[in-house]
Amino acid sequence: MSEPRTDAKISGMGHSMKRKEDPRFIRGKGNYVDDFVLPGMLYMDIVRSPHAHAKIKKINTVRALKIPGVLAVIDGPTLAKYNLHWMPTISADTQMVLPIDEVMYQAQEVCAVIATERYIAADGVDAVEVEYEPLPVMVDPHKSLAPGAPVLRRDKKDKKDNLAFHWEAGDKADAERALAAADVVISENVYLPRIHVASMETCGCIADFNSAEGKLTVYMTTQAPHAVRTVFALVAGHVGLSEEKIRIVSPDIGGGFGGKVPVYPGYVIAVAASVVIGKPVKWIEDRMENLQADSFARDYHMKVELGANKDGTMTSLKIKTVADHGYANASANPSKFPAGLFSICTGSYDLKHAFCEVDAAYTHKPPGGVAYRCSFRVTEAVHAIERATDALAQKLDMDPAELRMKNFIRPEQFPYKSVLGWEYDSGDYGAALRKVMDIVGYDALRREQAEKRKRGELMGIGICSFTEIVGAGPSKHFDILGLKMFDSAEIRVHPTGKAIARFGTKSQGQGHETTYAQIVAEELGIPAAHVQVEEGDTDTAPYGLGTYASRSTPTSGAACALAARKIRDKAKKLAAHLLEVSENDLEWEPGKFFVKGAPQKAKTIQEIAFAAYTNHPQGMEAGLEAVHYYDPPNLTFPFGSYICVVDIDRGTGEVKVRRFVAVDDCGNIINPMIVEGQIHGGLTQGIGPALYEEISYDDEGNISGGSFLDYYVPTALETPHWETDKTVTPSPHHPFGAKGVGESATVGAPPAIANAVVDALRHLGVTHLDIPITPEKVWQILKKKGVAE
Ligand code: CDP
């Protein structure tokens, strides 16, 4: 057995030195968890395993505890005394907080050092000596699922294999019959590699247990504060942490993208340490811990079969997936959808026969997988269908735009019931594709490509016409750990006509402070600048499931409008009282009620608000406020068409994105500038996995991609100029016709880029390339085909 890698942070050598040089340690004065300093605060750092699978023979803490300022080392047996050494994952699997005798992935938490200073805690980590006995490692999910494979989760009684779950949708026999009857069938193995959200801010918390009050406050980087509070109460209720005594505060968050939905062991250990020691305990991951140990995304091995008639009419789809979930299924999926919303895989096409299935495997890797800036596995589904559509066009020798136009669900078919069970709310896919083709100058580009091909130059044009499914979700189908996925808004209008609005969601940079205030302004006529928006404090915000999967606008955005409308209803009664007319005689225009036919007889919302506290009619409750818990009747289905133009360097294999045009449709837009920002960010997080990002493991489970030296995220240099535009197809069921948008671009960009590269190489017989499409990968093909320069 080879030695584990020693260049990773977990090696221990040079560990604290690296930390001292880390510029992140220069404290800012922001509102992020790492900016907070509480009186008497202690610091926690974590000892992590260099092995992917090993027996822990001994943890020697003597040297660590001799360091002045090191106060305690918390290990698995310590937590086991309180039955806190295991915790549930959000997918109702189980995950170690700290191990008793066995580690299951490289960089797993082994024990935690508590000290008076951050650097002393790091020195304590270096001084802890752990004796391991390496054990055989399983990194390949296919081998893990093979009959006779050694069982990884021996902690689970009666578990005889490594299947985390099997899930399927559709009629298998029907899809197979249709595939057999198809004139043309393409079959491609499409792999979406393991990647990481790599948010600018890593995860962390300060756990502050006040023993006088018996109250626990946790300042933490979470996208779902209320859900975390409930989970903490359920997991630690037996040690006295009851829900009314737990306050989760999620301050400003430097990017979440799904990676800050799970509860990580570090949070639980910090809470346990604070409860035991009675002082605030701060734990902030460093960059390498974040990349190596936090939940990953993707890691889907998909076999995609798409069938069609000779004329290009798509008839049938079948996708079989092996999903690598690491040693625990810790994905943040609604409980009825263990493979997320993967069954949106029929995409924008009117497919009558389809079947998809997912086998999730346990392996010796960190647990996951998170929905990285996508609505629960939509990225995987869209990549599969959009790559397959291009492969089909290639086989039929049809233009990929023409093939898409032929198969799109037509506008008059909405609401459209897909064969895999979804009801698409609205769409006009042809309009979006036509628009993007016009902007990019599609026909001229095809002519240019033909010319260049004659000269041996490599140029490709890639299309992606995606359909998203966001806004989880209708509570009859959607819950996480039993918590139904409604969301909420509470608005209070103060006597002077200013307002505070609070929500169950939690922005991580999406601009809720602006857009929610705009919704209140639109509905009540109170200027947005007079509306204070608050999220993320469970002591004050109404209960909600948080922000991920582009759900905020479809859920809390809707709740905001409906709470405002409740306030408007009461304002009408107050206006009628003030104007001494019947409510039926009043008309509304944003900001005031006036008497029909006599617009000068009016009361502004500010005058009405004042009256709600000073001059309300007898028998009416004082005040002007409302709360609404919104249970969406359906999801929203934003969509878009993207075109990417690439040139490939025959000398280096480098792919240069020359143009990228994105036409998005998220229904009615609250704030065009914020939406454009969302698209720009999403596209950049799309080019990353398409061309650069991958976390892989060697046979011993050693990570590659565990630092920014070898996990290559795009910077301004790699990011092309994005051209964006829109079509507007309102959602018929959302209170103001909006759909979510936060994740569309991350979903749509990778297949557009991959399709462009394959298009550049199709005349060489290339039908598929897995992402990331690195220069090395392309150059090897060029060399093999004899066209490398
Ligand atoms: O849940 P998350 O905030 O990540 O996603 P979202 O609901 O798609 O919203 C992202 C941002 O775009 C928010 O500030 C929304 O209010 C804004 N947005 C908008 O202005 N118009 C839309 N139709 C959709 C979102």
Side-chain angles (χ1 to χ4, degrees):
M1 190 166 293
S2 72
E3 284 299 300
R5 276 174 53 156
T6 53
D7 57 339
K9 178 235 149 184
I10 46 176
S11 66
M13 284 293 290
H15 171 122
S16 49
M17 196 56 206
K18 272 189 202 146
R19 286 176 167 234
K20 280 172 189 159
E21 287 162 4
D22 183 344
R24 242 180 15 85
F25 279 63
I26 300 162
R27 193 179 309 290
K29 282 213 181 81
N31 191 35
Y32 296 90
V33 173
D34 201 15
D35 295 313
F36 293 11
V37 180
L38 270 57
M41 191 169 81
L42 304 175
Y43 295 83
M44 181 176 105
D45 199 354
I46 293 176
V47 175
R48 294 178 181 273
S49 167
H51 297 279
H53 188 204
K55 204 174 186 38
I56 299 174
K57 294 179 76 180
K58 194 171 168 197
I59 301 178
N60 184 350
T61 60
V62 175
R63 270 183 57 220
L65 288 169
K66 277 190 183 151
I67 298 173
V70 170
L71 303 179
V73 179
I74 297 178
D75 59 10
T78 316
L79 292 186
K81 284 187 212 146
Y82 306 95
N83 198 23
L84 288 175
H85 56 311
W86 283 86
M87 64 178 181
T89 69
I90 357 187
S91 292
D93 198 351
T94 49
Q95 177 181 355
M96 284 180 234
V97 178
L98 285 174
I100 299 293
D101 55 6
E102 189 179 7
V103 282
M104 297 291 277
Y105 64 92
Q106 191 179 59
Q108 185 181 336
E109 298 79 2
V110 173
C111 59
V113 176
I114 314 292
T116 50
E117 288 286 333
R118 181 174 266 172
Y119 301 130
I120 296 175
D123 289 343
V125 162
D126 284 349
V128 171
E129 291 157 338
V130 186
E131 228 180 279
Y132 300 95
E133 180 187 319
L135 294 169
V137 175
M138 175 72 75
V139 286
D140 181 335
H142 297 95
K143 286 187 187 155
S144 169
L145 291 178
V151 178
L152 271 60
R153 293 298 303 267
R154 279 173 292 121
D155 56 288
K156 288 173 187 275
K157 263 208 206 142
D158 307 327
K159 187 86 185 129
K160 301 267 186 297
D161 57 28
N162 296 316
L163 186 69
F165 65 82
H166 171 85
W167 171 88
E168 58 184 55
D171 183 336
K172 188 174 188 179
D174 177 65
E176 284 175 348
R177 258 194 311 274
L179 276 172
D183 296 330
V184 186
V185 176
I186 64 96
S187 175
E188 289 290 354
N189 289 315
V190 179
Y191 175 52
L192 251 65
R194 183 173 276 240
I195 56 171
H196 196 280
V197 302
S199 50
M200 297 248 281
E201 183 199 23
T202 59
C203 291
C205 71
I206 302 171
D208 180 16
F209 182 70
N210 180 327
S211 48
E213 291 176 357
K215 180 156 182 173
L216 172 72
T217 304
V218 190
Y219 305 91
M220 66 189 286
T221 53
T222 176
Q223 299 175 231
H226 283 100
V228 168
R229 186 186 71 188
T230 303
V231 171
F232 274 12
L234 293 174
V235 171
H238 65 283
V239 292
L241 289 179
S242 139
E243 198 162 4
E244 81 285 9
K245 296 279 190 191
I246 303 173
R247 177 180 173 211
I248 306 293
V249 182
S250 185
D252 284 351
I253 296 187
F257 312 117
K260 289 173 182 162
V261 177
V263 172
Y264 294 113
Y267 298 135
V268 180
I269 308 166
V271 168
S274 180
V275 172
V276 170
I277 301 171
K279 292 203 170 184
V281 175
K282 184 184 223 178
W283 165 69
I284 305 284
E285 288 173 332
D286 70 19
R287 175 59 59 193
M288 288 189 280
E289 291 176 296
N290 177 262
L291 282 172
Q292 293 171 8
D294 284 6
S295 283
F296 68 92
R298 324 288 192 239
D299 222 340
Y300 255 36
H301 301 254
M302 301 175 283
K303 182 175 181 199
V304 191
E305 293 167 87
L306 179 62
N309 296 337
K310 271 197 210 85
D311 68 353
T313 307
M314 293 178 187
T315 56
S316 41
L317 175 73
K318 188 177 152 199
I319 305 182
K320 183 169 174 54
T321 296
V322 168
D324 187 341
H325 274 253
Y327 103 93
N329 177 20
S331 48
N333 286 326
S335 58
K336 288 202 188 79
F337 303 93
L341 307 185
F342 188 69
S343 50
I344 193 71
C345 58
T346 52
S348 308
Y349 310 110
D350 188 12
L351 270 153
K352 300 279 191 267
H353 311 276
F355 174 74
C356 62
E357 63 183 322
V358 177
D359 283 327
Y362 288 126
T363 56
H364 287 122
K365 295 177 193 164
V370 301
Y372 170 11
R373 208 166 178 176
C374 79
S375 189
F376 315 115
R377 302 291 188 186
V378 175
T379 315
E380 289 86 335
V382 167
H383 204 90
I385 185 69
E386 286 303 300
R387 268 280 49 247
T389 301
D390 259 40
L392 180 65
Q394 191 171 345
K395 189 151 186 174
L396 288 163
D397 201 20
M398 258 177 102
D399 183 281
E402 189 193 336
L403 181 68
R404 284 177 169 81
M405 287 291 190
K406 188 175 184 66
N407 287 285
F408 279 152
I409 300 160
R410 295 184 310 280
E412 65 275 15
Q413 286 176 281
F414 290 92
Y416 171 83
K417 190 108 177 123
S418 85
V419 65
L420 294 181
W422 301 109
E423 186 175 292
Y424 293 29
D425 57 351
S426 62
D428 188 346
Y429 303 147
L433 181 54
R434 270 191 300 278
K435 189 160 191 174
V436 74
M437 287 169 76
D438 285 349
I439 296 170
V440 82
Y442 187 76
D443 295 338
L445 283 170
R446 284 282 174 218
R447 284 195 295 276
E448 182 193 339
Q449 184 187 35
E451 284 299 313
K452 287 201 157 146
R453 217 166 252 175
K454 279 187 217 149
R455 298 200 296 269
E457 291 172 43
L458 300 173
M459 166 191 167
I461 305 158
I463 304 175
C464 170
S465 293
F466 66 90
T467 290
E468 266 243 279
I469 169 170
V470 306
S475 72
K476 63 176 182 264
H477 300 307
F478 284 83
D479 70 86
I480 286 189
L481 285 177
L483 298 168
K484 292 188 176 245
M485 295 189 76
F486 58 85
D487 228 297
S488 59
E490 181 199 82
I491 306 171
R492 290 185 193 168
V493 185
H494 309 314
T496 56
K498 316 291 191 290
I500 184 159
R502 294 181 168 126
F503 300 87
T505 48
K506 173 64 205 154
S507 179
Q508 308 118 49
Q510 294 94 322
H512 293 179
E513 296 81 354
T514 305
T515 49
Y516 285 158
Q518 280 184 265
I519 299 171
V520 177
E522 183 76 19
E523 296 287 342
L524 290 179
I526 296 173
H530 294 172
V531 182
Q532 174 74 32
V533 170
E534 269 187 26
E535 298 175 294
D537 184 338
T538 56
D539 268 9
T540 51
Y543 202 99
L545 271 280
T547 289
Y548 38 85
S550 298
R551 65 187 297 275
S552 303
T553 304
T555 58
S556 271
C560 181
L562 295 181
R565 288 175 199 177
K566 284 181 186 169
I567 288 176
R568 209 160 70 197
D569 289 345
K570 181 165 181 188
K572 191 174 193 183
K573 292 189 193 334
L574 282 157
H577 163 71
L578 296 174
L579 292 164
E580 297 178 340
V581 294
S582 142
E583 276 184 61
N584 297 332
D585 295 331
L586 289 176
E587 266 186 57
W588 168 257
E589 76 173 40
K592 64 178 177 197
F593 278 106
F594 61 92
V595 178
K596 280 180 199 159
Q600 73 287 1
K601 286 188 75 184
K603 287 288 169 194
T604 64
I605 189 74
Q606 288 77 11
E607 290 168 319
I608 295 168
F610 200 66
Y613 298 88
T614 60
N615 181 21
H616 51 289
Q618 273 298 316
M620 180 188 274
E621 270 184 65
L624 196 56
E625 61 186 61
V627 57
H628 194 91
Y629 291 85
Y630 184 72
D631 185 359
N634 190 5
L635 295 125
T636 67
F637 294 74
F639 59 93
S641 268
Y642 294 174
I643 293 186
C644 172
V645 185
V646 298
D647 297 301
I648 296 177
D649 185 324
R650 280 170 44 201
T652 62
E654 192 194 355
V655 173
K656 184 117 192 109
V657 176
R658 188 205 308 174
R659 284 189 74 189
F660 196 109
V661 185
V663 170
D664 273 274
D665 193 319
C666 59
N668 288 331
I669 289 176
I670 305 161
N671 185 315
M673 196 165 81
I674 284 199
V675 167
E676 198 186 354
Q678 292 288 301
I679 307 280
H680 279 219
L683 290 171
T684 307
Q685 286 186 309
I687 195 174
L691 298 180
Y692 312 114
E693 296 170 16
E694 176 165 20
I695 289 180
S696 57
Y697 292 84
D698 69 13
D699 288 345
E700 300 305 325
N702 292 309
I703 190 170
S704 146
S707 84
F708 277 162
L709 281 177
D710 52 0
Y711 190 74
Y712 188 25
V713 294
T715 67
L717 282 180
E718 291 79 20
T719 306
H721 171 69
W722 306 118
E723 298 170 61
T724 57
D725 211 318
K726 63 173 185 296
T727 57
V728 177
T729 314
S731 167
H733 62 78
H734 185 274
F736 53 91
K739 302 179 177 186
V741 76
E743 301 169 328
S744 293
T746 335
V747 169
I753 297 167
N755 285 346
V757 180
V758 175
D759 184 61
L761 304 173
R762 60 191 281 188
H763 60 293
L764 303 173
V766 175
T767 59
H768 175 69
L769 276 172
D770 279 330
I771 59 171
I773 304 175
T774 56
E776 163 75 8
K777 217 180 250 182
V778 176
W779 192 80
Q780 289 296 349
I781 292 170
L782 301 182
K783 196 172 127 202
K784 203 161 133 204
K785 303 283 179 187
V787 294
E789 266 176 354

